[in-house]
Amino acid sequence: MIEESVLLESRTLRSSVLDRTDVLDRVKVLSLLPDGVHVTTAMVAAYFGAAVEGIRALVHDHRPELEASGYRVLAGTELSYFKQLSGIRSRTPSLALFSRRAVLNVAMLLRDSEVARQVRVHLLDMEHLARTQPVDNPGLTEPVPLDVRIDQRITHILGRTVVPMFNALIASSGEHRRELIELRQDIENVERRMCRHHKRLATPEGENPAENVRSTLKAMTWQAFEQHVVGLLRRDGCTDVVVRQTRSDRGIDITGLTADGRTVAVRCRNRPGRRTVPHADLQKFAGAARVLHRVDLALSVATCGFSHESRAIADLTGVVTVDREEVEAWTAGVRLKALR
């Protein structure tokens, strides 16, 4: 099992486990701002039983890493918009915000905190359990040929078990680091080739797979597109995936659980004739997924692009956008990164 000291020293290893934010609540309840997504510096300090100045010093020393995991400072128009969205009443000219991923990142950096130490212990226990338990995909409901099921299982194991194992080995290795990085790259190349191979097997000879995927998506009705996304979620290991029968959920079309137990809400937008998803649509979905239902993972999936304003709202609220190119790649067999 990986030692806690390796987690403290290795940014690569820390980055590989940032999605396991549920471990925070296993140790202590993390209070969130009214938006259901962010916490302030003072709230982070309270969670870890640390001084506010200590958290600020940690941010100063590791700012690029923390920004990559969701830390940001709002000011001006962006701060005003956030206050309006979340209902915060404050006259401060700037506001530092941490996402749950950023809080977990702090736990993996903060040495003088018993709460942070417990988070690291639970996190490493979960990673060890994930690597040693057999992988299963209960979402496959339709009969699939045995050789295809074996190939799919191998691809699944490569992505969810072998690559993370190499990440941990690379993080704890000194002498053979370069060789391990090259081996990991080889494994990732095999995974990509197997995904492409699966797609070629399903495509008639003489057809262009990319064009075939694009035309198939373009011909879908919005109901067919929702069912298509349901199938992709199940293929990637999600369970309890259902299409919402009512439209009173403010933009949530699909709900379910990821393979590692996170709650997920999905907004599907089949807009092949449109250029972008309007920001009002993204704002409504973000409010429903993050504030009303407080899901762990919110996905906005569209057959077009996202406007600059939409992406800004997504970044601010933690919504993961999946545009046309990503939907096509997902359809062609590439696993959606947010579900890994």
Side-chain angles (χ1 to χ4, degrees), residues 106-126:
V106 170
M108 293 186 280
L109 291 166
L110 194 59
R111 295 176 181 271
D112 300 326
S113 166
E114 178 59 24
V115 173
R117 190 195 68 80
Q118 291 180 30
V119 170
R120 292 192 293 269
V121 169
H122 278 276
L123 184 61
L124 293 175
D125 285 345
M126 290 172 63

Side-chain angles (χ1 to χ4, degrees), residues 156-180:
H156 189 69
I157 291 172
L158 288 177
R160 290 190 60 85
T161 304
V162 178
V163 172
M165 180 186 70
F166 270 100
N167 289 337
L169 288 173
I170 290 167
S172 59
S173 175
E175 183 180 356
H176 302 290
R177 181 180 177 84
R178 179 176 296 178
E179 291 88 342
L180 288 170

Side-chain angles (χ1 to χ4, degrees), residues 17 27 79-80 86 122 171 227 240 265 340:
V17 294
V27 176
L79 176 58
S80 299
S86 60
H122 278 276
Q227 292 299 328
D240 298 335
R340 298 181 185 179

Side-chain angles (χ1 to χ4, degrees), residues 194-207:
M194 291 190 74
C195 286
R196 290 195 294 267
H197 176 63
H198 295 157
K199 183 58 186 175
R200 282 196 298 269
L201 289 177
T203 304
E205 187 175 355
E207 290 189 9

